Amino acid sequence: GEDVEQSLFLSVREGDSSVINCTYTDSSSTYLYWYKQEPGAGLQLLTYIFSNMDMKQDQRLTVLLNKKDKHLSLRIADTQTGDSAIYFCAESGGATNKLIFGTGTLLAVQP
Amino acid sequence: NAGVTQTPKFQVLKTGQSMTLQCAQDMNHEYMSWYRQDPGMGLRLIHYSVGAGITDQGEVPNGYNVSRSTTEDFPLRLLSAAPSQTSVYFCASSFQGEGGEQYFGPGTRLTVT
């Protein structure tokens, strides 16, 4: 079945870049998403990329997609303490809104 | 425009009790869904609906029922709560069709003792 994998934890210093990685198995995925979850809150969509794109940039966020290796990454430039949260990668495929989520990566930003 | 609202925020149940988690959205979204979030497992889809009167099962539907009598509301029923249903439950909604943003509610933290 479909599977999405992420590393569980990443620690960076304030001002550094963060790179959160994700691998997925469903080659029919047409959209791939990054969601952010702050403590005690729901999920907030950060950005998404269509599967025919290699890269998408949105202010401090850069998404890279390697469709051949089924690898997705999220780079956060100039990471701030307010970026501390859990980041989820998710995929959707076919004519459906159903999302398959990864396990989430806890990003800890040290001052 | 309240977005997606969920009630209650917290609930403690005893094994065997039943309850309904409420979810409502005011964005006229066709698609609504329920996820549960467990540590180290991400979010898993329980049930979803593509419009009023239409529901379908997700990845982990056992022990849960849903109905969609209106576009706005999508309640999740636990028929006989079990400790394995201790989790954080999120409702989400979006317009139908791929690629759109799904809006999440703030979650309901459920503990079954």
Side-chain angles (χ1 to χ4, degrees):
Chain A
E2 302 137 343
D3 195 20
V4 180
E5 306 237 342
Q6 300 177 239
S7 53
L8 289 180
F9 183 73
L10 176 66
S11 178
V12 300
R13 289 196 179 278
E14 192 172 18
D16 288 350
S17 292
S18 309
V19 179
I20 302 171
N21 294 301
C22 170
T23 57
Y24 61 98
T25 58
D26 186 2
S27 58
S28 68
S29 293
T30 49
Y31 286 91
L32 295 127
Y33 304 82
W34 284 103
Y35 279 84
K36 176 183 181 182
Q37 183 182 35
E38 295 183 354
L43 277 69
Q44 173 194 1
L45 180 66
L46 281 180
T47 186
Y48 65 92
I49 188 168
F50 189 53
S51 60
N52 69 353
M53 298 169 65
D54 299 324
M55 185 181 89
K56 181 178 180 182
Q57 188 148 4
D58 185 1
Q59 299 182 332
R60 292 190 297 123
L61 306 178
T62 303
V63 178
L64 295 178
L65 175 60
N66 181 328
K67 197 172 179 185
K68 174 175 163 288
D69 294 339
K70 299 192 187 73
H71 183 265
L72 182 74
S73 67
L74 173 70
R75 179 176 179 268
I76 305 172
D78 187 25
T79 312
Q80 303 297 306
T81 54
D83 295 323
S84 294
I86 301 175
Y87 291 80
F88 290 94
C89 158
E91 61 169 355
S92 71
T96 175
N97 295 59
K98 291 196 306 187
L99 296 179
I100 306 296
F101 283 89
T103 52
T105 299
L106 175 62
L107 174 64
V109 182
Q110 312 299 326
Chain B
N1 190 335
V4 180
T5 59
Q6 290 184 239
T7 55
K9 283 189 74 69
F10 302 94
Q11 183 71 48
V12 179
L13 290 179
K14 293 188 187 306
T15 298
Q17 287 184 315
S18 63
M19 80 158 295
T20 300
L21 280 62
Q22 301 292 344
C23 173
Q25 52 90 11
D26 61 359
M27 297 172 281
N28 206 30
H29 287 162
E30 303 97 345
Y31 183 85
M32 296 185 75
S33 56
W34 278 101
Y35 293 88
R36 59 177 289 173
Q37 182 179 20
D38 301 293
M41 299 188 75
L43 278 77
R44 292 180 292 168
L45 182 65
I46 304 171
H47 284 287
Y48 65 97
S49 168
V50 299
I54 306 168
T55 63
D56 207 346
Q57 296 181 350
E59 184 186 354
V60 288
N62 293 340
Y64 308 96
N65 273 0
V66 291
S67 59
R68 184 97 180 268
S69 55
T70 67
T71 300
E72 294 79 20
D73 299 296
F74 191 44
L76 178 73
R77 295 184 192 84
L78 281 70
L79 304 173
S80 177
S84 61
Q85 293 178 303
T86 294
S87 188
V88 182
Y89 291 85
F90 289 100
C91 178
S93 74
S94 68
F95 289 113
Q96 184 63 4
E98 243 192 315
E101 177 174 357
Q102 291 204 26
Y103 293 81
F104 282 78
T108 294
R109 184 173 293 274
L110 175 69
T111 302
V112 183
T113 61

